[in-house]
Amino acid sequence: MKRFLKILLGIILLISLITVMILNQSKFGQHPKGERLERIKKSPNYKDGSFKNLSETAVMTSDKSTIGAMWDFIFAKKYKVKPEDSLPFVSIDIKGLDEKEDVLIWFGHSSYFMKLDGKTFLVDPVFCGYAAPFSFMTNAFKGTNNYVVEDLPDIDYLIISHDHWDHLDYETILKLKPKVGEVVCGLGVGQHFEYWGYEASKINELDWYEDIKFEGVKLTATPARHFSGRGIKRNKSLWASYVLNTKNNNIYIGGDSGYDTFYKDIAAKYGPFDLAIIEQGQYSENWNQIHLLPKQLYQVAEELNTQKLFPVHNSKFTLSDHPWYEPLDEALANKTESVSLVTPKIGEVVKLKDSTQVFEAWWKDLK
């Protein structure tokens, strides 16, 4: 018996040592400390050692435990959660875009580039080909990873909604370093950037309803209903949506979020919007408070008072058990007359000031 206990203890210690070694890799980032942590402690959204949503929020909302839901996600039979064929994409010279034209280019999931009033913006870029700590996990669909950091021009403003792996990619962030002028992120997320070698003077961390102004650009962090974390501990940094205002554009950047009443508040304070970029994908009834369900998409768009709706968080990674094309099908099927729907192919130029631009239902032939 004693021999068995010694062996068991040895196995536990070995697993613990391996876990510590993994979590200490640079890609996992760092939790806030020092002056950054002291600032966080003063936030009204930080209580008892972690950030909180405005409404009480459960990550898992079904009767299943977290382990049970993960077991189903990994082992249960799923229907067309990823495409069999390569997704269509458009190859363009991003560096050669017209300086005077306001455009958006989507890279799949929640990564996109914008040129607005001559300024360049990049949101939640993930170019490594996977949305996880390791390359054998959560691989990108075929055809969705054809753009690389080298294809991008200098980026005036890098905007990060939160620090999950499918929104904050270590490899991409390192390669972007010489191209980035300013980083805008939620409280605490800047610790990752500083740990990864970014100059502290370039990192701008915001609490909800705080804003920062640059020449011709105003960015305001607004609430989202989600969570954060790259390792075992959650909610040490803040997740956020943003209002991006330039001379000729007022855009809502949704990040990841479940439904809550703050959408009306955001519209009242900062709307109406020319474009709302809202997550629509990787949802489940098992976690229906931290991601929007399809039936909620247009409700949110109408509450935000937006002219155009661009549904993202789809068509690149499998992070739920719905068919990969379902978010776009639902967005098209439930379309309202009051909102124009934006559904570009990856790489397709979205002309933000062209109200006549029409988008194909490009996913229909790939089911």
Side-chain angles (χ1 to χ4, degrees), residues 204-218:
N204 306 277
E205 295 173 83
L206 302 176
D207 203 347
W208 292 337
Y209 293 118
E210 286 185 344
D211 62 58
I212 187 164
K213 296 177 182 177
F214 304 98
E215 184 181 357
V217 174
K218 178 182 177 183

Side-chain angles (χ1 to χ4, degrees), residues 71-98:
W71 180 272
D72 284 351
F73 177 70
I74 296 171
F75 296 108
K77 186 176 181 180
K78 295 181 280 290
Y79 179 73
K80 293 191 174 182
V81 294
K82 59 183 178 180
E84 295 180 7
D85 298 322
S86 177
L87 296 193
F89 66 94
V90 179
S91 293
I92 63 158
D93 177 12
I94 302 176
K95 295 178 181 178
L97 289 168
D98 188 341

Side-chain angles (χ1 to χ4, degrees), residues 210-260:
E210 286 185 344
D211 62 58
I212 187 164
K213 296 177 182 177
F214 304 98
E215 184 181 357
V217 174
K218 178 182 177 183
L219 272 158
T220 305
T222 45
R225 192 180 189 187
H226 200 57
F227 67 109
S228 66
R230 297 175 69 80
I232 295 173
K233 294 182 180 180
R234 289 177 174 170
N235 301 343
K236 298 301 179 182
S237 63
L238 186 63
W239 49 99
S241 59
Y242 295 92
V243 174
L244 168 57
N245 183 260
T246 67
K247 179 181 178 181
N248 296 304
N249 297 275
N250 196 33
I251 296 174
Y252 176 74
I253 298 171
D256 279 4
S257 180
Y259 180 75
D260 208 339

